[in-house]
Amino acid sequence: MGLHSLQPAEGSVNRDGKRLGRGQGSGKGGTAARGHKGAKSRSGYSKKIGFEGGQMPLQRRVPKFGFTNINRKNYQGINLEKLQELVDNKVITNEVSLDILIENGLVGKNDLVKILGNGELKASLKVSVHKFTASAKAAIEAAGGEAISL
């Protein structure tokens, strides 16, 4: 160790930069590095989301149309062919529940599930989910299974 290799301990030297608004002699007095006038120079200023300097913001310029139903329920659809594929891969044997569908990554834990009638079902399954299409329910019962709505 020599004098040329000495340096202060990590974190001991604190350089926060110049202190603002402490007189003209400091070089950061007067306007305190905020420039002259305008909203940004005032205390309490915070830039609002979407603010465009007084110009009409894009969000207010573009036309609005249509309707979004806040009570809409979105169902995650699963086709009969997917259920048959699970049976073929020996993932399910005779019962299909929400837990099994979640485990296999077909639906999320908060999803509402609807069985759709696309494809062919050969296995006799007891399926319990939120909804069924008429064709899916008929196909499940024709294969000797049971369709239970939650």
Side-chain angles (χ1 to χ4, degrees):
M1 176 181 287
L3 286 175
H4 67 280
S5 64
L6 289 176
Q7 57 186 49
E10 192 70 36
S12 66
V13 176
N14 185 16
R15 288 190 52 97
D16 284 338
K18 285 196 174 179
R19 293 172 70 213
L20 302 178
R22 292 297 180 272
Q24 295 292 60
S26 71
K28 298 279 187 191
T31 59
R34 286 173 173 256
H36 292 278
K37 299 185 183 173
K40 286 186 187 174
S41 72
R42 320 279 184 204
S43 69
Y45 168 77
S46 65
K47 187 179 177 198
K48 305 294 183 278
I49 294 171
F51 184 68
E52 296 184 19
Q55 170 177 294
M56 186 61 69
L58 179 68
Q59 205 271 337
R60 290 183 61 194
R61 283 199 305 264
V62 296
K64 317 291 188 279
F65 59 90
F67 170 75
T68 304
N69 184 359
I70 60 167
N71 297 316
R72 178 182 169 89
K73 285 188 168 64
N74 283 326
Y75 287 89
Q76 182 69 42
I78 296 177
N79 280 307
L80 290 174
E81 61 189 1
K82 193 68 184 170
L83 294 180
Q84 185 60 45
E85 193 179 302
L86 291 174
V87 171
D88 295 341
N89 295 338
K90 296 184 174 45
V91 176
I92 54 177
T93 51
N94 61 351
E95 195 168 332
V96 180
S97 67
L98 281 176
D99 298 333
I100 291 168
L101 296 174
I102 292 166
E103 278 174 24
N104 292 297
L106 294 174
V107 295
K109 63 178 179 161
N110 297 324
D111 286 345
L112 297 172
V113 180
K114 186 172 189 175
I115 303 296
L116 309 174
N118 190 14
E120 192 180 340
L121 185 66
K122 300 177 192 109
S124 171
L125 294 174
K126 181 181 177 184
V127 185
S128 54
V129 293
H130 297 101
K131 275 196 169 187
F132 298 88
T133 59
S135 59
K137 194 167 192 167
I140 290 168
E141 288 165 357
E146 193 180 351
I148 303 164
S149 294
L150 297 177

